[in-house]
Amino acid sequence: VGAEEADWLLCDAYRKWRLLRAGSPIEPFRRPPKGTILSEGAGAILLTREGDLALEQVHPGGNFARQSELVRQLDAICRELPNEVETDVLIGSANGTFIDEAERAAAAKYFPGAAVYTAKSALGESVAAGAIWQVICAAQALRAQKLPPLLHAPADFRLTTARVPTEKGWERAVVTTCGLNQQVAALALRRL
């Protein structure tokens, strides 16, 4: 379970750090980033021993002290994920901040054939709840074999809903979650 309440202290801190924008829309992967919009919410995931999806690997992730260190940290995490099976879908945490460029680099290097999606352009940056929302998106993409439309996506990046799964369908999704709280992690899901 992950939940977040956007109190005044959080909002004021993100504004001072120039990570927020005054109004919508969030435009993931835009250059230069224009900032995110905070949101509130909660999400929960129920794990069982049986089902149609398997948790292939959870990478414990790490911390980064400076924004410039995120690219290096995310690169190391993605390198350690299993790569025997091609990743069909990448659910990123791009939110209109420095996170976008780090995820763009990881997507190009480690997941070149994957459809890339980020829910934060529609839902906002909900910090703790956002990572849970991303896992839910990955599971739904593997089950439904499609992604919802992505708002405000740049034309120069493969944020897509138009990719048609192969005859066998999407089998693997990776979630990269990069927090404004200077933490980063990833996991891989497989369709059984």
Side-chain angles (χ1 to χ4, degrees):
V1 174
E4 189 65 44
E5 179 183 6
D7 62 20
W8 70 270
L9 197 56
L10 181 71
C11 294
D12 193 45
Y14 284 8
R15 184 185 57 78
K16 285 184 179 179
W17 296 330
R18 292 186 218 111
L19 296 172
L20 293 183
R21 68 182 298 158
S24 58
I26 295 174
E27 299 174 298
F29 299 105
R30 291 279 181 191
R31 289 181 173 159
K34 295 182 178 179
T36 192
I37 297 172
L38 290 179
S39 66
E40 298 178 311
I45 300 171
L46 175 63
L47 301 176
T48 66
R49 293 189 185 274
E50 297 177 12
D52 58 344
L53 298 177
L55 190 56
E56 184 179 73
Q57 181 180 358
V58 176
H59 191 288
N63 299 311
F64 54 96
R66 293 182 175 80
Q67 292 178 6
S68 60
E69 295 173 10
L70 176 58
V71 172
R72 181 183 48 78
Q73 186 78 4
L74 190 56
D75 184 80
I77 289 168
C78 292
R79 186 175 345 118
E80 292 177 22
L81 290 174
N83 59 8
E84 295 80 34
V85 177
E86 183 179 345
T87 298
D88 299 305
V89 179
L90 173 64
I91 307 294
S93 54
N95 60 7
T97 68
F98 66 95
I99 290 170
D100 300 22
E101 194 54 40
E103 288 192 327
R104 180 190 287 263
K109 185 172 182 178
Y110 294 101
F111 315 109
V116 180
Y117 185 78
T118 179
K120 292 182 181 182
S121 60
L123 301 175
E125 174 59 74
S126 187
V127 193
I132 301 294
W133 293 344
Q134 288 177 251
V135 176
I136 293 168
C137 284
Q140 287 301 103
L142 292 177
R143 284 190 173 129
Q145 295 292 298
K146 61 183 177 181
L147 291 165
L150 186 63
L151 304 172
H152 312 292
D156 70 331
F157 196 59
R158 65 183 181 284
L159 292 162
T160 182
T161 60
R163 181 174 177 224
V164 177
T166 61
E167 194 172 292
K168 64 180 179 162
W170 287 336
E171 293 185 0
R172 184 174 195 244
V174 167
V175 174
T176 57
T177 182
C178 307
L180 296 174
N181 57 357
Q182 299 174 308
Q183 296 174 336
V184 58
L187 65 79
L189 292 175
R190 293 276 304 274
R191 184 169 56 98
L192 300 176

